[in-house]
Amino acid sequence: MDLNRKLAILADAAKYDASCASSGTHKRDSVGGRGIGSTEGAGICHSYAPDGRCISLLKILLTNYCVYDCLYCINRVSSNVDRARFRIDEVVQLTLDFYRRNCIEGLFLSSGIIRSPDYTMERVVEVARVLREEHDFRGYIHLKTIPEASEELLARAGRYADRLSINVELPTSESLRVLAPEKDGQAIRRSMARLRIHIDDAKAAATPTVATSQPRVAPKRARAPRFAPAGQSTQMIVGADASDDRSILTTSATLYGAYRLKRVYYSAFSPIPDAARGLPLAAPPLVREHRLYQADWLMRFYGFAHDEIVGASDGMLALDIDPKLAWALAHREKFPVDLNRAPREMLLRVPGLGVTSVKRLLDTRRIRTLRVDDLSRLKVPLKNVLPFITVPGAARNGLDDANLAARLRPQPRQLSLFDLPVGHG
């Protein structure tokens, strides 16, 4: 099979993995002719999956053959799809060639399980080793790790990769047992814990040392043993099982707390050919995936607990309004908040106020009283914010208006190619 055909098959097979962000790693470049690649600046080539999700990096599988038979996976052993497998040198050359053409900024490499987890992981790690050690590649590398692989291989992977990820696959252990019986949920979490220890050790080693014997000498930063500086992430499939959004967010909160993950990615289930009868026939609405990302954002940056975001009795997030607005409408007794006196934690809960706008408001009110004109100057969406705050110069808020939810609910409209993305608040 020629290389182009392999690339077509194995890049297509990788599109179901949603984790593609390259943020959070150390800055490197090849200024002065040192090495090749960079983790800085623009130039990342983006592509899009058929369902509209953005995919960056050279995102491929080493092979789409897998000895496992997970019911939701198109690459499972019983799946009737074209199979292909890269050699290690082919992945290395593709990465370098695409980089030299300014098509990519890095590599995302995953794989089906060939023969055994260790056999597969050795080859994934070898790709990264050759790029780093033999070609001095300084671009971003994200390796999807095999949970059942040996600890020594996971440790080696972290020395070459910017980010490591291990998929938890499904929100609950019971769903994993039913839909992916060959996967070991405990092994997945053990591997996450091992990666966490390696990452913590590397950060601890990088802590500045104080030159106590020379009090006038500035502290020197120790050279850190490099280990996955962009941390670890995971991915959950949404809609392949019956788990509701409350269960999904509970699992995410547990993963963030136990393993301090950088990200949990949510991937809406895509129906596959010849699917098992236990799987849904239709994909969940993509807006559900979007709402989960918004709720995830509230947990990580807005101080919301996972168990207060989903208020509906069916355990699902509303699809027609964002989770923060839904929470505010359900807790009107906590509003309006005084924009000049409320603590940061409460301002972050006001619909329409984001982390950046709250910081600017706090900075401004340290020197003078905020007025409604300040909101316009900061480009805060007044329609969303005013019902939930009091501020000099603003009219009555209409918080008790029975039609408030209908007034704030976004109206569907056809976007144009030139519409700017709507900010989260």
Side-chain angles (χ1 to χ4, degrees), residues 96-389:
L96 297 176
D97 289 347
F98 275 116
Y99 188 83
R100 290 185 175 115
R101 292 181 213 172
N102 200 29
C103 296
I104 62 166
E105 285 291 322
L107 170 69
F108 175 96
L109 184 62
S110 183
S111 182
I113 309 297
I114 324 162
R115 298 188 191 176
S116 71
D118 276 356
Y119 181 87
T120 308
M121 197 67 213
E122 282 180 358
R123 276 139 190 83
V124 170
V125 172
E126 182 64 6
V127 169
R129 187 200 69 78
V130 173
L131 281 168
R132 295 289 196 219
E133 294 187 351
E134 298 185 12
H135 298 277
D136 198 13
F137 181 72
R138 302 184 180 207
Y140 182 86
I141 296 179
H142 180 158
L143 297 182
K144 186 72 73 176
T145 55
I146 314 297
E148 296 84 359
S150 71
E151 185 172 357
E152 191 272 337
L153 283 169
L154 294 181
R156 285 179 56 198
R159 291 201 291 270
Y160 301 119
D162 292 276
R163 173 166 288 181
L164 299 175
S165 56
I166 302 174
N167 286 354
V168 295
E169 306 286 353
L170 294 161
T172 67
S173 300
E174 177 60 18
S175 296
L176 194 68
R177 187 187 66 75
V178 172
L179 299 180
E182 292 154 304
K183 294 204 169 176
D184 183 345
Q186 292 302 315
I188 291 172
R189 298 190 181 230
R190 278 197 303 272
S191 295
M192 285 182 168
R194 287 169 181 158
L195 293 184
R196 182 69 260 160
I197 291 171
H198 284 300
I199 292 169
D200 286 346
D201 287 347
K203 286 183 176 177
T207 303
T209 55
V210 180
T212 54
S213 60
Q214 303 179 59
R216 295 185 179 180
V217 176
K220 294 182 179 178
R221 181 174 291 277
R223 186 177 181 81
R226 186 179 185 278
F227 191 93
Q232 63 170 323
S233 59
T234 191
Q235 175 173 307
M236 266 190 285
I237 300 171
V238 175
D241 66 346
S243 297
D244 59 23
D245 294 340
R246 183 180 287 121
S247 300
I248 291 172
L249 293 176
T250 299
T251 298
S252 296
T254 301
L255 294 172
Y256 282 128
Y259 310 110
R260 294 201 292 283
L261 302 185
K262 288 288 185 180
R263 289 289 302 272
V264 174
Y265 290 90
Y266 306 94
S267 178
F269 168 69
S270 298
I272 56 178
D274 306 318
R277 286 190 298 177
L279 292 174
L281 297 176
L286 276 180
V287 70
R288 182 185 176 194
E289 181 185 283
H290 179 60
R291 297 300 183 214
L292 283 167
Y293 276 116
Q294 290 178 316
D296 188 280
W297 211 258
L298 294 182
M299 290 194 296
R300 292 190 294 137
F301 301 109
Y302 287 77
F304 281 78
H306 71 278
D307 54 358
E308 62 178 332
I309 298 175
V310 181
S313 58
D314 62 358
M316 301 296 285
L317 293 165
L319 298 182
D320 57 344
I321 54 176
D322 69 77
K324 187 175 172 184
L325 176 58
W327 181 87
L329 290 170
H331 296 83
R332 300 189 197 200
E333 75 280 2
K334 298 184 181 295
F335 299 97
V337 301
D338 185 339
L339 207 59
N340 283 292
R341 300 174 65 87
R344 177 179 184 273
E345 294 74 19
M346 198 60 214
L347 291 177
L348 285 172
R349 293 185 174 233
V350 175
L353 292 184
V355 173
T356 301
S357 56
V358 166
K359 180 180 183 306
R360 289 172 177 167
L361 291 171
L362 291 173
D363 289 343
T364 302
R365 82 180 193 186
R366 287 193 183 96
I367 55 177
R368 61 180 172 81
T369 300
L370 289 168
R371 299 188 60 81
V372 71
D373 293 343
D374 292 310
L375 299 178
S376 301
R377 182 173 55 81
L378 294 174
K379 299 182 179 178
V380 168
L382 295 180
K383 175 185 172 184
N384 293 351
V385 172
L386 288 180
F388 299 97
I389 64 168

Side-chain angles (χ1 to χ4, degrees), residues 11 27 38 42 56 59 104 133 303 347 396:
K27 292 183 177 180
S38 167
S56 62
K59 180 180 286 190
I104 62 166
E133 294 187 351
L347 291 177
R396 293 184 60 185

Side-chain angles (χ1 to χ4, degrees), residues 21 23 34 69 82 88 96 106 164 330 342 386 390 401 406:
S23 59
R34 299 170 305 166
D69 201 24
D82 290 339
I88 291 171
L96 297 176
L164 299 175
L386 288 180
T390 58
D401 186 346

